[in-house]
Amino acid sequence: MTDSGVHVGGRSSRLTLPLAVLAGGFVGSLARACLAAAFAVADGGFPWVTLIVNVLGSLVIGWYLARRERSVTSRWSLHFWAIGALGSFTTFSAFSVEVVELIDGGARGLAASYVIASMVLGLVAAWLGDRVGSAS
Amino acid sequence: MSIAILAIAGSLGALSRFGLAGAVQRSTRLLVPVGTFVVNIVGCFGLGVVVGGFHTDAYPVVFVVGFFGGFTTFSTWAIETVRLDIAPKPSRSSVINFLGMPALGVLVAAIGYFLAT
């Protein structure tokens, strides 16, 4: 009885964090899918939905991780929010492929400005979130 | 329907990222976030192949697009760059991560995209 309880407990704790990532990933992917459906970008247009999603997610993850170091939050929370939800809300593959599509469509200037905007704004957002989250 | 598929596929992508990034990171002594790097490179190539090769809204294609969307991550790259000490004086590893990830991501996406086209 006790053995079986310990065994089940051990097994469930090994599954807890992957399940948190799975659940968080669902929430983050759902949010991005809804935004993408609500605000469709025209073919060949500036992919500002992905840009906003990536910058917003970078801001929040910076804030969340900095706050986390100053308070007691569970590993479940880290895996759900940072790795699952924010990790999959933001996307590097869509960013990269959108750049390629812009280049393929002949819009090299737009592609370059999209790359620079994503890199600079994403980094500044993560830094800003980190600073705000670290401030008392 | 497409939104549900994207969300389910994205959650499986997130779980796969968790597994692969963790395995890669554990297998190296490097202090740079090579787990996220490998995941994003694989995902950028994969999505490039899908978008370059399949111009359709068929559900299997939507699923794979959703999977790579959740598999790759931009926010982790951004905060890892910050945590590698980008400010006030950028460390070498932070600059490599900041410039290398987008450069390689776009490069492999282009290779996948044009191979599949």
Side-chain angles (χ1 to χ4, degrees):
Chain A
M1 182 68 190
T2 311
D3 277 0
S4 133
V6 168
H7 183 68
V8 170
R11 188 191 297 162
S12 74
S13 68
R14 277 197 299 277
L15 283 176
T16 301
L17 297 181
L19 282 175
V21 172
L22 193 70
F26 184 85
V27 171
S29 301
L30 182 65
R32 181 159 46 81
C34 288
L35 286 172
F39 305 100
V41 172
D43 275 357
F46 190 83
W48 57 270
V49 174
T50 309
L51 177 67
I52 289 174
V53 160
N54 280 342
V55 172
L56 188 63
S58 299
L59 180 76
V60 176
I61 204 170
W63 174 83
Y64 173 85
L65 292 176
R67 289 295 299 171
R68 190 174 183 273
E69 286 169 5
R70 303 175 60 250
S71 63
V72 181
T73 49
S74 64
R75 293 179 72 202
W76 194 92
S77 166
L78 172 74
H79 285 70
F80 180 88
W81 288 111
I83 301 175
L86 293 165
S88 54
F89 180 61
T90 62
T91 175
F92 216 99
S93 53
F95 157 75
S96 298
V97 171
E98 282 160 354
V99 173
V100 174
E101 286 184 303
L102 285 173
I103 294 170
D104 191 33
R108 290 185 184 191
L110 218 52
S113 54
Y114 180 48
V115 170
I116 292 168
S118 295
M119 289 174 68
V120 173
L121 295 179
L123 186 72
V124 168
W127 176 82
L128 194 65
D130 180 63
R131 291 294 89 203
V132 172
S134 306
S136 53
Chain B
M1 185 62 181
S2 285
I3 287 178
I5 292 173
L6 287 170
I8 291 166
S11 68
L12 293 172
L15 184 63
S16 306
R17 163 163 46 80
F18 178 57
L20 180 59
V24 169
Q25 200 64 51
R26 278 191 298 273
S27 72
T28 173
R29 288 166 181 272
L30 292 173
L31 293 174
V32 292
V34 64
T36 306
F37 209 95
V38 169
V39 161
N40 277 345
I41 293 299
V42 171
C44 288
F45 180 78
L47 190 65
V49 170
V50 174
V51 173
F54 301 90
H55 299 280
T56 163
D57 290 331
Y59 289 138
V61 176
V62 173
F63 184 91
V64 178
V65 168
F67 178 87
F68 285 126
F71 185 63
T72 59
T73 177
F74 189 95
S75 53
T76 306
W77 162 75
I79 192 60
E80 281 172 346
T81 303
V82 170
R83 292 298 179 91
L84 288 168
D85 289 332
I86 194 78
K89 185 178 179 298
S91 67
R92 182 182 297 183
S93 55
S94 72
V95 173
I96 291 172
N97 200 52
F98 179 63
L99 299 177
M101 186 71 259
L104 273 179
V106 172
L107 178 67
V108 297
I111 291 171
Y113 182 92
F114 290 113
L115 277 179
T117 300

